[in-house]
């Protein structure tokens, strides 16, 4: 069995996860790569990402005295087919100091297919000086499935409060479930020109336009400032798997640009290639 990864397991890199689930790929792909004949290992890593379901996990800490926690928080998602195993919520996209009173923290979690999300288990390890935690709610959005579920809590996870539990199993509030048209993964390959000063450190974004005025949201291609510094260098090719609204079989145009700012924001773009990845691998 061959399990390519080609991604960071680091809090400060990529999506911040330090554990990844990998699915096996055909041995021929790996041999093909070792002979430098076409498919690169980096592309295999992106294939893994395309096969995964991305969950956006939002965690709301209550607005009560001593509600925040310094303990290590973890979550497990349970589906109709499988579960994710224990996932440490380490890299909050919204706050450097996470799980503070009244704050909303956002995390990215990737998993192979677990089926329909049925329940979650969330808790902490009770470490640190301020370890008790008042959890208001958890919201889990899976764009590729077109479902957003709310898991209400409104309780302490604290050995000296409530029932003394520091982890809980929570079920979704059916009435608060939102359903929408599922997003699809697009493979976006960006070619930066080979001329002096062509590269940029700015925040590059893209919008796709289909027929009949359908378009996607504006989406940044980099997840953080470090990626912005790494990608879009002179004469480079950068590939991304981005989940976006499905604009259909025909892409009539794209809008690509950056938000300026920084020392080296000017960018000379050569071309962009886009492939819509469908579930059957087309």
């Amino acid at each position: 069995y061959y399990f390519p990864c080609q991604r960071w397991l680091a809090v400060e890199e990529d999506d911040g996860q330090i554990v990844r689930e990998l699915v096996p790929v055909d041995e021929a792909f790996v041999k093909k790569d070792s002979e430098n004949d076409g498919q690169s290992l980096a592309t295999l890593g992106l294939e893994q990402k395309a096969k995964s379901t991305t969950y956006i996990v939002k965690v709301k800490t209550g607005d009560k005295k001593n509600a925040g926690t310094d303990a290590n928080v973890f979550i497990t998602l349970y589906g109709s087919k499988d579960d994710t195993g224990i996932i440490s919520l380490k890299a909050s996209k919204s706050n450097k100091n996470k799980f503070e009173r009244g704050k909303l923290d956002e995390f990215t979690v990737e998993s192979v297919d677990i089926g329909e999300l049925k329940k979650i288990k969330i808790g902490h390890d009770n470490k640190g000086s301020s370890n008790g935690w008042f959890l208001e709610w958890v919201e889990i959005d899976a764009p590729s499935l077109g479902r957003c579920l709310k898991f209400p809590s409104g309780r302490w996870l604290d050995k000296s409060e409530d029932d003394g539990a520091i982890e809980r199993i929570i079920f979704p509030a059916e009435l608060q479930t939102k359903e929408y048209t599922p997003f699809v993964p697009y493979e976006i390959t960006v070619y930066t020109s080979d001329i002096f000063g062509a590269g940029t450190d700015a925040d590059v974004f893209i919008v796709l336009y289909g027929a009949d005025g359908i378009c996607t949201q504006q989406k940044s291609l980099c997840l953080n400032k470090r990626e912005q510094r790494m990608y879009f260098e002179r004469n480079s090719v950068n590939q991304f798997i981005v989940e976006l609204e499905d604009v259909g079989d025909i892409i009539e145009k794209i809008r690509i640009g950056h938000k300026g700012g920084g020392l080296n924001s000017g960018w000379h773009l050569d071309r962009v290639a886009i492939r819509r990845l469908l579930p059957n691998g087309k």
Side-chain angles (χ1 to χ4, degrees), residues 37-105:
D37 183 23
Q39 183 150 9
S40 70
L41 272 173
T43 305
L44 284 174
L46 288 169
E47 292 284 336
Q48 288 275 9
K49 188 172 180 179
K51 286 179 183 175
S52 299
T53 302
T54 302
Y55 297 94
I56 298 157
V57 178
K58 293 182 179 174
V59 181
K60 181 72 191 311
T61 299
D63 192 6
K64 290 176 177 282
K65 188 181 178 187
N66 300 324
T69 186
D70 294 331
N72 295 303
V73 174
F74 58 82
I75 192 170
T76 305
L77 278 52
Y78 295 88
S80 52
K81 297 181 189 172
D82 201 353
D83 65 71
T84 59
I86 295 171
I87 295 163
S88 295
L89 297 179
K90 287 190 172 291
S92 172
K93 285 198 167 83
S94 36
N95 300 297
K96 195 164 187 180
N97 198 2
K98 52 194 183 293
F99 309 121
E100 291 294 296
R101 173 179 175 171
K103 291 290 176 68
L104 180 66
D105 290 288

Side-chain angles (χ1 to χ4, degrees), residues 168-222:
R168 296 194 187 284
I169 288 176
I170 311 175
F171 293 88
E174 295 295 337
L175 294 174
Q176 290 179 278
T177 298
K178 298 177 207 152
E179 301 209 7
Y180 55 91
T181 306
F183 285 24
V184 296
Y186 288 90
E187 178 190 272
I188 299 173
T189 310
V190 180
Y191 298 81
T192 298
S193 304
D194 185 14
I195 63 171
F196 179 74
T200 184
D201 292 338
D203 183 3
V204 172
F205 61 80
I206 195 165
V207 182
L208 313 186
Y209 293 84
D212 305 318
I214 299 169
C215 71
T216 68
Q217 61 184 285
Q218 181 171 300
K219 182 82 171 180
S220 290
L221 293 177
C222 292

Side-chain angles (χ1 to χ4, degrees), residues 67-264:
T69 186
D70 294 331
N72 295 303
V73 174
F74 58 82
I75 192 170
T76 305
L77 278 52
Y78 295 88
S80 52
K81 297 181 189 172
D82 201 353
D83 65 71
T84 59
I86 295 171
I87 295 163
S88 295
L89 297 179
K90 287 190 172 291
S92 172
K93 285 198 167 83
S94 36
N95 300 297
K96 195 164 187 180
N97 198 2
K98 52 194 183 293
F99 309 121
E100 291 294 296
R101 173 179 175 171
K103 291 290 176 68
L104 180 66
D105 290 288
E106 183 179 318
F107 304 87
T108 302
V109 168
E110 278 178 22
S111 167
V112 295
D113 184 19
I114 61 169
E116 189 180 338
L117 185 54
K118 296 290 189 185
K119 64 183 180 181
I120 62 170
K121 179 160 74 177
I122 188 165
H124 62 80
D125 61 3
N126 211 42
K127 298 254 172 83
S129 53
S130 308
N131 43 32
W133 185 35
F134 189 88
L135 172 62
E136 196 68 60
W137 49 260
V138 177
E139 182 182 274
I140 299 180
D141 188 10
S144 64
L145 305 178
R147 300 199 87 201
C148 182
L149 285 79
K150 192 83 166 269
F151 295 82
S153 168
R155 294 183 70 179
W156 286 97
L157 283 81
D158 188 333
K159 287 198 166 175
S160 57
E161 297 277 357
D162 202 336
D163 60 358
I166 57 170
E167 64 175 43
R168 296 194 187 284
I169 288 176
I170 311 175
F171 293 88
E174 295 295 337
L175 294 174
Q176 290 179 278
T177 298
K178 298 177 207 152
E179 301 209 7
Y180 55 91
T181 306
F183 285 24
V184 296
Y186 288 90
E187 178 190 272
I188 299 173
T189 310
V190 180
Y191 298 81
T192 298
S193 304
D194 185 14
I195 63 171
F196 179 74
T200 184
D201 292 338
D203 183 3
V204 172
F205 61 80
I206 195 165
V207 182
L208 313 186
Y209 293 84
D212 305 318
I214 299 169
C215 71
T216 68
Q217 61 184 285
Q218 181 171 300
K219 182 82 171 180
S220 290
L221 293 177
C222 292
L223 293 169
N224 53 47
K225 283 197 162 45
R226 192 178 184 287
E227 285 194 1
Q228 288 170 214
R229 290 194 296 272
M230 282 170 54
Y231 298 144
F232 313 119
E233 296 292 304
R234 174 181 173 172
N235 197 29
S236 67
V237 180
N238 301 117
Q239 202 164 49
F240 307 88
I241 299 286
V242 182
E243 286 183 351
L244 290 167
E245 295 90 342
D246 190 352
V247 298
D249 293 333
I250 297 166
I251 299 174
E252 292 201 335
K253 65 177 181 179
I254 66 169
R255 184 167 171 265
I256 188 164
H258 61 76
K259 297 177 182 174
L263 294 172
N264 305 303

